[in-house]
Amino acid sequence: MYQWVSLLSLWAIPVMIAFVLLYGWNKRVPVYETFVEGAKGGLTTTIRILPHLIAMMVAVTMFRESGALELLLGAIRPVLDAIHVPEEIVPLALLRPMTGTGSLAIATDLIAQYGPDSFLGRLAATMQGSTDTTLYVLTVYFGAVGIRNSGYALKVGLWSDLAGVIFSLLVVSYVFS
């Protein structure tokens, strides 16, 4: 089974590319010209979202480096102890809605420190996969297309992230404890 999955993953992208090229050729689409036109649009989008991306990166870095994260952890430590939530996972839960790279760095550190098969390693991996970078998505993509009223999307995204954190804790506790 493992060999079959490895072979499938090895050939999935080349087969998909070949399919797209052959399909476009069959439909008489100028594939190369269409690709170049799409690349130009992608470059334009990149330039439009760059200021939003830089602002989000600066905000996340300031939050982590200023000591605000540690201050927040100190304030909520009694609550975490009361509901049996490991303190080490809280930075991941807090930063995940803001930054994919920052939260991935935290998850990687947890897995490296405690091991991939530890409770915290499994919890970090599950939480990383069960939540999204809500504030990043709203800031970058909504900003790029000019959406200013993102209140409902923010609420739904943050509630979804909270549900992902809670259910990650519950499922990993239930399955691996």
Side-chain angles (χ1 to χ4, degrees):
M1 181 67 171
Y2 176 76
Q3 291 175 343
W4 187 82
V5 171
S6 295
L7 185 65
L8 180 66
S9 66
L10 178 69
W11 283 98
I13 292 176
V15 167
M16 186 63 124
I17 291 171
F19 173 77
V20 168
L21 291 173
L22 290 172
Y23 185 81
W25 176 75
N26 185 42
K27 293 291 184 178
R28 309 268 192 258
V29 173
V31 177
Y32 180 75
E33 291 80 5
T34 304
F35 173 79
V36 170
E37 184 178 321
K40 283 181 191 175
L43 186 59
T44 303
T45 301
T46 301
I47 291 170
R48 270 198 333 248
I49 68 172
L50 195 58
H52 302 283
L53 182 61
I54 291 170
M56 181 56 91
M57 289 170 54
V58 168
V60 168
T61 302
M62 287 175 55
F63 180 68
R64 289 179 72 188
E65 299 299 322
S66 69
L69 179 60
E70 291 300 320
L71 187 64
L72 180 62
L73 283 175
I76 64 173
R77 188 169 289 124
V79 175
L80 295 175
D81 291 340
I83 59 174
H84 306 291
V85 173
E87 181 182 327
E88 297 87 354
I89 205 69
V90 175
L92 175 61
L94 292 175
L95 287 179
R96 180 67 176 145
M98 292 185 253
T99 171
T101 306
S103 63
L104 182 60
I106 292 170
T108 303
D109 289 345
L110 287 172
I111 291 169
Q113 184 175 358
Y114 296 99
D117 291 330
S118 68
F119 178 78
L120 282 173
R122 289 176 172 153
L123 182 57
T126 305
M127 196 175 291
Q128 188 77 4
S130 301
T131 56
D132 199 4
T133 54
T134 301
L135 298 174
Y136 174 83
V137 168
L138 291 177
T139 300
V140 174
Y141 297 113
F142 279 29
V145 295
I147 297 174
R148 297 290 173 234
N149 188 7
S150 60
Y152 290 116
L154 177 64
K155 289 175 192 172
V156 169
L158 291 177
W159 279 110
S160 298
D161 288 333
L162 180 61
V165 167
I166 291 169
F167 282 104
S168 294
L169 284 161
L170 292 174
V171 168
V172 172
S173 295
Y174 178 75
V175 173
F176 297 109
S177 291

